[in-house]
């Protein structure tokens, strides 16, 4: 069996976990701030807040930016459902901006068109969440310019793209956003088991996210709304959650971060080989914009259903039958029954829906062997020509 993605855990990773288990702290110890500092260094951001998952990070970012019941949040229909669900957790409305047909990210031109319409109807979004699909950054500067004109905040869903770059800026630098979210689920670039992090340069936002991460409780006298009762005292000032990462997870994250460049280099080599060996087949290989360095989280091909010997669903099933556990990232969010019930329907986002009929995620992960990659390539050749 060849999965589409897989973690790479070595002896140093395991040793770092054992060290934490033998230490005084399993949670809320020194590993969390150490991991946060390392992620801030990597991403050139002022603050990092480690959380239980990217989903939790998206929720906290929305809360901290004040997303409320009557507000709108816009995101890409081609993403994991968490990119939209975070708005629903806050009781807010969700809408989508169709993808660019080449990058599969939110299209800034379509975004502007939708903003012009929304302004007329007085339903401008409070937050827009671009998703850097596959590790390829969305066109952040264009989206940022629109955010100034139409007065919305930006959260980057960078679950796929720690270690990637947009122009000369590391993803997570928040040069063009309020905050950025990374995921450390095992299929992502580095892992902590479950886990995520929020990066930001805004100290007020960082403070709020830290409070919301831990029940809305503060031990800092300067933040309390009334006099402290004594040295034991803490005070709940918001309704927060328990979204804290453990020291065990943070230690794994610190250890994994040491190899992030190696991981991305290996992914890049695999992507380059796919590019070379698949370019003559009746399918589309992913295009990279020249302003981007991708982390190559996913390698998505699009089947040319008009020219290919077999069509998309058959190719997908045949590859699985051969033990190649391809995947499809993603089912357009608006087509899930939960979102259909909110009023979305087929035809709403045509670029996303066309993508869905053609996309297949091929295996790509640091430990993918040359032999297995060749098997994937030969199998695809056989099924498409
Ligand atoms: C994986 C993923 C998430 C959710 O990450 P978790 O850490 O599993 O909560 C959100 N958005 C995107 C685009 C993802 O790929």
């Amino acid at each position: 069996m060849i999965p589409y993605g897989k973690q790479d855990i070595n002896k140093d990773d395991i040793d770092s976990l054992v060290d934490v288990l033998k230490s005084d702290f399993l949670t809320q110890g020194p590993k969390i701030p150490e991991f946060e500092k390392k992620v801030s260094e990597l991403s050139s951001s002022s603050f990092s807040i480690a959380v239980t998952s990217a989903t939790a990070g998206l929720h906290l970012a929305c809360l901290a930016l004040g997303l409320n019941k009557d507000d709108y949040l816009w995101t890409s229909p081609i993403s994991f459902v968490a990119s939209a669900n975070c708005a629903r957790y806050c009781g807010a409305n969700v809408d989508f901006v169709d993808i660019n047909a080449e990058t599969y990210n939110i299209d800034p031109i379509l975004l502007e068109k939708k903003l012009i319409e929304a302004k007329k109807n007085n339903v401008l979004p409070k937050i827009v969440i671009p998703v850097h699909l596959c590790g390829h950054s969305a066109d952040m500067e264009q989206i940022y310019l629109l955010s100034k004109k139409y007065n919305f905040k930006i959260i980057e869903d960078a679950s796929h793209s720690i270690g990637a770059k947009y122009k000369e800026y590391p993803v997570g630098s928040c040069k063009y956003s309020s905050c950025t979210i990374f995921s450390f689920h095992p299929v992502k670039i580095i892992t902590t088991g479950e886990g995520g992090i929020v990066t930001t340069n805004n100290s007020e936002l960082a403070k709020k996210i830290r409070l919301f991460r831990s029940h809305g409780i503060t031990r800092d006298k300067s933040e309390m709304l009334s006099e402290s009762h004594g040295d034991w005292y803490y005070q709940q000032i918001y309704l927060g959650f328990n979204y804290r990462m453990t020291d065990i997870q943070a230690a794994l994250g610190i250890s994994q971060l040491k190899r992030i460049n190696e991981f991305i280099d290996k992914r890049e080599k695999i992507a380059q080989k796919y590019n070379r060996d698949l370019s003559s087949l009746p399918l589309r290989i992913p295009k990279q914009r020249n302003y981007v360095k991708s982390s190559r989280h996913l390698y998505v091909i699009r089947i040319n259903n008009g020219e290919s010997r077999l069509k998309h669903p058959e190719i997908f099933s045949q590859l699985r039958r051969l033990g190649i556990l391809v995947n499809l990232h993603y089912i357009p969010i608006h087509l899930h029954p939960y979102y259909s019930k909110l009023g979305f329907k087929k035809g709403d986002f045509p670029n996303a829906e066309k993508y869905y009929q053609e996309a297949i995620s091929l295996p790509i992960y640091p430990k993918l062997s040359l032999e297995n990659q060749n098997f994937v390539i030969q199998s695809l050749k056989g099924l498409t020509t």
Side-chain angles (χ1 to χ4, degrees):
M1 293 291 180
I2 310 171
Y4 83 87
K6 193 177 178 216
Q7 70 275 16
D8 178 337
I9 300 291
N10 70 6
K11 184 165 179 308
D12 286 347
D13 293 333
I14 294 166
D15 289 347
S16 71
L17 289 179
V18 173
D19 288 345
V20 174
L21 291 172
K22 289 178 180 165
S23 79
D24 291 335
F25 298 98
L26 298 187
T27 183
Q28 291 166 282
K31 292 295 174 189
I32 301 288
E34 188 184 332
F35 183 44
E36 290 174 338
K37 188 160 169 277
K38 292 236 149 74
V39 171
S40 269
E41 280 166 13
L42 177 88
S43 60
S44 302
S45 62
S46 308
F47 308 98
S48 289
I49 304 102
V51 288
T52 47
S53 66
T55 303
L58 287 163
H59 183 192
L60 295 186
C62 288
L63 279 174
L65 287 171
L67 191 70
N68 261 312
K69 190 164 84 33
D70 296 322
D71 295 330
Y72 275 84
L73 177 148
W74 293 3
T75 189
S76 169
I78 296 298
S79 185
F80 186 54
V81 290
S83 311
N85 288 347
C86 53
R88 303 295 300 151
Y89 299 153
C90 301
N93 304 294
V94 174
D95 205 348
F96 302 95
V97 181
D98 207 354
I99 58 168
N100 175 280
E102 283 184 357
T103 65
Y104 317 146
N105 286 324
I106 281 188
D107 188 324
I109 293 170
L110 297 177
L111 173 60
E112 182 160 26
K113 272 192 187 153
K114 197 174 172 97
L115 287 164
I116 292 167
E117 276 307 301
K119 191 169 180 189
K120 282 186 206 151
N121 303 322
N122 211 14
V123 286
L124 281 170
K126 184 164 198 166
I127 296 174
V128 172
I129 303 191
V131 181
H132 307 318
L133 200 76
C134 306
H136 181 290
S137 175
D139 195 351
M140 291 310 299
E141 194 172 2
Q142 296 308 314
I143 298 171
Y144 177 77
L145 291 173
L146 291 170
S147 80
K148 291 295 151 199
K149 191 164 169 194
Y150 292 92
N151 195 29
F152 58 84
K153 303 282 192 225
I154 300 172
I155 300 172
E156 298 175 62
D157 184 342
S159 294
H160 297 183
S161 50
I162 190 167
K165 275 188 170 169
Y166 172 71
K167 301 191 173 166
E168 69 266 43
Y169 309 105
V171 170
S173 69
C174 301
K175 169 83 179 162
Y176 299 112
S177 64
S178 295
C179 28
T180 301
I181 318 294
F182 295 129
S183 170
F184 306 125
H185 181 279
V187 295
K188 309 290 164 82
I189 305 292
I190 62 162
T191 189
T192 60
E194 295 279 0
I197 223 163
V198 186
T199 68
T200 181
N201 298 321
N202 179 324
S203 60
E204 284 303 308
L205 265 183
K207 211 175 185 180
K208 269 199 177 160
I209 292 169
R210 272 182 215 288
L211 273 167
F212 282 129
R213 168 177 72 172
S214 196
H215 309 280
I217 283 173
T218 182
R219 289 173 188 278
D220 178 347
K221 285 203 182 86
S222 71
E223 287 175 352
M224 291 184 187
L225 302 180
S226 56
E227 195 74 3
S228 168
H229 299 174
D231 283 349
W232 65 86
Y233 195 59
Y234 59 84
Q235 198 170 65
Q236 185 191 345
I237 56 177
Y238 296 113
L239 180 62
F241 300 84
N242 179 356
Y243 280 168
R244 293 187 307 257
M245 183 181 269
T246 65
D247 261 40
I248 306 167
Q249 292 167 306
L252 180 54
I254 293 164
S255 181
Q256 285 261 298
L257 263 183
K258 291 181 187 149
R259 289 189 291 151
I260 189 168
N261 291 332
E262 178 197 323
F263 289 161
I264 293 175
D265 287 350
K266 284 185 177 164
R267 287 173 175 277
E268 182 61 36
K269 283 210 179 79
I270 293 165
Q272 295 294 344
K273 180 174 166 61
Y274 276 138
N275 283 349
R276 282 193 305 275
D277 294 3
L278 298 178
S279 60
S280 60
L281 302 185
L283 52 82
R284 266 167 70 183
I285 57 173
K287 284 207 179 85
Q288 308 281 301
R289 293 285 199 242
N290 57 14
Y291 52 73
V292 155
K293 181 188 180 294
S294 174
S295 59
R296 297 286 194 182
H297 169 56
L298 299 174
Y299 190 93
V300 174
I301 56 163
R302 290 180 64 168
I303 302 300
N304 184 335
N305 284 314
E307 286 180 26
S308 178
R309 184 172 69 77
L310 296 179
K311 303 230 179 311
H312 175 272
E314 288 88 2
I315 293 170
F316 192 98
S317 315
Q318 292 291 346
L319 287 170
R320 283 235 172 143
R321 211 158 293 148
L322 290 166
I324 302 167
L325 301 182
V326 288
N327 218 309
L328 206 172
H329 299 93
Y330 291 93
I331 302 157
I333 300 176
H334 67 286
L335 299 181
H336 283 289
Y338 174 82
Y339 283 96
S340 302
K341 277 186 206 149
L342 296 175
F344 296 103
K345 57 188 187 307
K346 220 171 168 179
D348 282 350
F349 304 100
N351 294 348
E353 291 168 30
K354 180 144 201 300
Y355 167 93
Y356 179 50
Q357 287 167 2
E358 301 173 350
I360 299 180
S361 300
L362 299 183
I364 186 166
Y365 50 93
K367 279 189 162 159
L368 178 66
S369 69
L370 190 61
E371 190 190 353
N372 281 346
Q373 192 183 3
N374 278 327
F375 179 61
V376 174
I377 292 161
Q378 287 314 313
S379 304
L380 262 173
K381 205 175 254 177
L383 297 167
T384 56
T385 60

